[in-house]
Amino acid sequence: MPDDILIINASELVTLKGPKRARAKREMSDLAIVRDGALAISGGVIVDVGRTESVLKEHDSQGVERIDASGKLVMPGFVDPHTHLVYGGSREFELEFKAKGKSYLEILKGGGGILRTVKDTRAASASDLFHQSARRLESMIAHGSTTIEAKSGYGLDRDSELKILETTRKLADDYPADIVPTFLGAHAVPSEYEGCPDDYLSFVIEDVLPEVRKRKLAEFCDVFCEKGVFTADQSRRVLLAAKELGMKLKVHADEFKASGGAELAAEVGAVSADHLARPSDDGLMALVRKDVVGVLLPGTPYSSMSKEYADGRRLIDLGIPVALGTDLNPNCWNESMQFTISLACHKMRMTPAEAITAATINSAAAVGMEKRVGTLERGKRGDVIVLDVPSHAHVPYRFGTNLCSTVVKDGRVVWEKAASLDS
Ligand code: NIG
Ligand code: FE
């Protein structure tokens, strides 16, 4: 059967065995590694995990597909908890503006940034948008992401936002990845509403959100809460309206300036507060008290040529359960959780073990999937990746190439590295 599989002889099997919730503080350093490890998947679900010898004793049945992971690292598929997967066009030309010292918000105010992508996304047909986004999704899967959150937010009118979310649904139907959809209608004020953010938000709340909910096109609602975009009071309006409709919440919080985003995330009971490069101390303490997951996105300052990375070390020491995401978007075209982990270690003072916890079980918690994915334990989904390195510390250490050799989703091999040149 294609969804029965045995993976054996792993030099390190990172199980992350433990509570089915986001891990905090020292828990983030415990990867529960099994050496010479193996796991068995049946019917798409993990049925055994342990030393190779003992797993083989129980599950050495004929005809079951085997992967020999000798000398390799085996771990849970990455959960990417923050992406803007579906958009039209690209913005490579902004690199030159950034190199000349223009800030992200200056580029946005000059009609670039999000608003440029809104134009390209509105102009794209549904089929074109699907194919552009599918290329990215294929690459994310090849880099080991098996669960991916995907936001709308480049439509900013009713039909275009619905087009993005419908495209997201079709991608989820057609590709071997779990996709968690998020409505981000409050991503920017579109040019038709320039100078009237409150009117735009009324439109989002009254005309778009109910339709999104009725058609079950999104599980989460998010908002870009930032000085110069939406204030905390404006963001609260959208989030409370979504909560009323039964949606779970996220906040783009304090990316450039302390804007009350972290405080708001805690106040409204958001599952995660994302970015957190410049949060206030009160905001951070509020996140700790309410167990809000802090989703850090080090690809964003990297692509924005900024030195303002979130202080991952401090957030973890304070007790915030930290997760990592790519923030894939046209400003930050990052499809790789491996590169994201490397940035977290090099730029945010996180250890390799913390970064791996942040990219698996903690990011699963950031999208409400912690009971189903994010660790290799009996009963969890068979979402497993094999990397061609001997230990987990090699993942952040060796950046810039794809270390995955096999990606398994629900017990099926969905991607394999091509044969090497000398074989
Ligand atoms: O998460 N910060 C807001 N939104 C995106 C960027 C969007 C864009 O530049 O197109 C982010 O970084
Ligand atoms: Fe984002």
Side-chain angles (χ1 to χ4, degrees), residues 118-138:
V118 168
K119 262 193 206 140
D120 292 343
T121 305
R122 286 179 177 179
S125 68
S127 141
D128 194 14
L129 201 54
F130 175 85
H131 290 292
Q132 291 188 46
S133 308
R135 299 280 301 277
R136 292 187 277 272
L137 180 56
E138 285 163 11

Side-chain angles (χ1 to χ4, degrees), residues 82 84 91 94 104 108 113-115 117 151 154 184 187 224 226 252 255-256 275 297 300 304 327 329-332:
H82 183 133
H84 305 249
R91 303 216 305 264
E94 286 177 6
Y104 178 87
L108 179 61
I114 295 176
L115 295 179
T117 303
K151 303 173 195 298
Y154 289 113
L184 177 57
H187 193 196
F224 191 2
E226 188 74 38
H252 274 68
E255 178 177 353
F256 305 109
H275 283 290
L297 307 161
T300 314
S304 303
D327 197 17
N329 72 64
N331 176 54
C332 171

Side-chain angles (χ1 to χ4, degrees), residues 248-296:
K248 293 181 272 188
L249 308 179
K250 292 179 169 290
V251 184
H252 274 68
D254 309 319
E255 178 177 353
F256 305 109
K257 286 197 176 97
S259 308
E263 290 89 332
L264 178 64
E267 176 198 318
V268 298
V271 176
S272 73
D274 301 36
H275 283 290
L276 299 176
R278 283 283 164 275
S280 72
D281 287 347
D282 284 351
L284 291 180
M285 292 325 295
L287 296 180
V288 176
R289 278 195 300 277
K290 292 286 185 69
D291 263 333
V292 180
V293 180
V295 176
L296 307 187

Side-chain angles (χ1 to χ4, degrees), residues 16-23 27 361-362 364-365 368-381:
L16 286 137
K17 185 173 192 279
K20 290 187 175 63
R21 57 159 172 77
R23 315 280 166 80
E27 290 175 341
I361 182 66
N362 282 12
M369 294 278 281
E370 67 278 14
K371 297 204 166 52
R372 286 182 273 172
V373 299
T375 68
L376 300 181
E377 295 176 273
R378 268 181 215 198
K380 283 219 169 167
R381 306 270 288 273

Side-chain angles (χ1 to χ4, degrees), residues 46-155:
I46 298 173
V47 292
D48 201 4
V49 184
R51 308 259 311 170
T52 298
E53 207 185 38
S54 72
V55 171
L56 276 180
K57 243 185 236 155
E58 293 288 319
H59 299 276
D60 195 14
S61 40
Q62 292 265 308
V64 171
E65 184 173 358
R66 268 190 196 207
I67 296 174
D68 181 3
S70 295
K72 294 183 178 173
L73 168 69
V74 174
M75 59 175 286
F78 296 119
V79 179
D80 188 345
H82 183 133
T83 87
H84 305 249
L85 171 66
V86 179
Y87 56 84
S90 62
R91 303 216 305 264
E92 70 291 344
F93 55 86
E94 286 177 6
L95 267 173
E96 193 174 324
F97 303 147
K98 294 175 201 168
K100 289 180 177 154
K102 278 212 174 164
S103 74
Y104 178 87
L105 287 178
E106 281 165 348
I107 294 174
L108 179 61
K109 278 193 187 124
I114 295 176
L115 295 179
R116 163 62 196 248
T117 303
V118 168
K119 262 193 206 140
D120 292 343
T121 305
R122 286 179 177 179
S125 68
S127 141
D128 194 14
L129 201 54
F130 175 85
H131 290 292
Q132 291 188 46
S133 308
R135 299 280 301 277
R136 292 187 277 272
L137 180 56
E138 285 163 11
S139 166
M140 294 163 96
I141 294 168
H143 285 81
S145 294
T146 48
T147 299
I148 294 161
E149 186 259 13
K151 303 173 195 298
S152 69
Y154 289 113

Side-chain angles (χ1 to χ4, degrees), residues 298-315:
T300 314
Y302 176 83
S303 63
S304 303
M305 299 188 197
S306 154
K307 294 192 177 64
E308 315 269 308
Y309 287 81
D311 191 345
R313 173 81 275 121
R314 175 160 180 253
L315 266 59

Side-chain angles (χ1 to χ4, degrees), residues 121-374:
T121 305
R122 286 179 177 179
S125 68
S127 141
D128 194 14
L129 201 54
F130 175 85
H131 290 292
Q132 291 188 46
S133 308
R135 299 280 301 277
R136 292 187 277 272
L137 180 56
E138 285 163 11
S139 166
M140 294 163 96
I141 294 168
H143 285 81
S145 294
T146 48
T147 299
I148 294 161
E149 186 259 13
K151 303 173 195 298
S152 69
Y154 289 113
L156 309 188
D157 64 33
R158 189 174 175 279
D159 290 351
S160 306
E161 283 295 302
L162 294 174
K163 176 174 72 176
I164 292 170
L165 291 170
E166 282 158 2
T167 300
T168 306
R169 177 170 282 175
K170 185 161 163 46
L171 289 165
D173 289 344
D174 289 8
Y175 280 89
D178 279 308
I179 299 188
V180 179
T182 295
F183 174 61
L184 177 57
H187 193 196
V189 179
S191 49
E192 320 75 277
Y193 282 92
E194 203 187 324
C196 311
D198 294 307
D199 294 342
Y200 176 63
L201 292 177
S202 298
F203 161 74
V204 166
I205 292 168
E206 287 155 29
D207 293 3
V208 193
L209 193 57
E211 182 71 10
V212 167
R213 191 56 188 156
K214 194 173 93 201
R215 293 174 53 192
K216 295 195 170 52
L217 285 169
E219 277 179 46
F220 281 86
C221 180
D222 194 348
V223 52
F224 191 2
C225 178
E226 188 74 38
K227 284 200 177 110
V229 190
F230 295 109
T231 65
D233 284 341
Q234 290 168 337
S235 302
R236 183 184 293 105
R237 274 183 69 200
V238 181
L239 294 171
L240 291 181
K243 192 175 184 176
E244 187 81 5
L245 295 174
M247 295 174 81
K248 293 181 272 188
L249 308 179
K250 292 179 169 290
V251 184
H252 274 68
D254 309 319
E255 178 177 353
F256 305 109
K257 286 197 176 97
S259 308
E263 290 89 332
L264 178 64
E267 176 198 318
V268 298
V271 176
S272 73
D274 301 36
H275 283 290
L276 299 176
R278 283 283 164 275
S280 72
D281 287 347
D282 284 351
L284 291 180
M285 292 325 295
L287 296 180
V288 176
R289 278 195 300 277
K290 292 286 185 69
D291 263 333
V292 180
V293 180
V295 176
L296 307 187
L297 307 161
T300 314
Y302 176 83
S303 63
S304 303
M305 299 188 197
S306 154
K307 294 192 177 64
E308 315 269 308
Y309 287 81
D311 191 345
R313 173 81 275 121
R314 175 160 180 253
L315 266 59
I316 292 171
D317 293 343
L318 283 171
I320 294 171
V322 165
L324 287 169
T326 58
D327 197 17
L328 166 67
N329 72 64
N331 176 54
C332 171
W333 197 309
N334 169 20
E335 292 155 355
S336 171
M337 286 296 281
Q338 297 171 50
F339 179 55
T340 305
I341 287 169
S342 189
L343 284 174
C345 293
H346 288 96
K347 297 288 189 182
M348 305 195 314
R349 298 185 301 142
M350 288 169 62
T351 66
E354 288 169 341
I356 283 173
T357 302
T360 52
I361 182 66
N362 282 12
S363 46
V367 295
M369 294 278 281
E370 67 278 14
K371 297 204 166 52
R372 286 182 273 172
V373 299

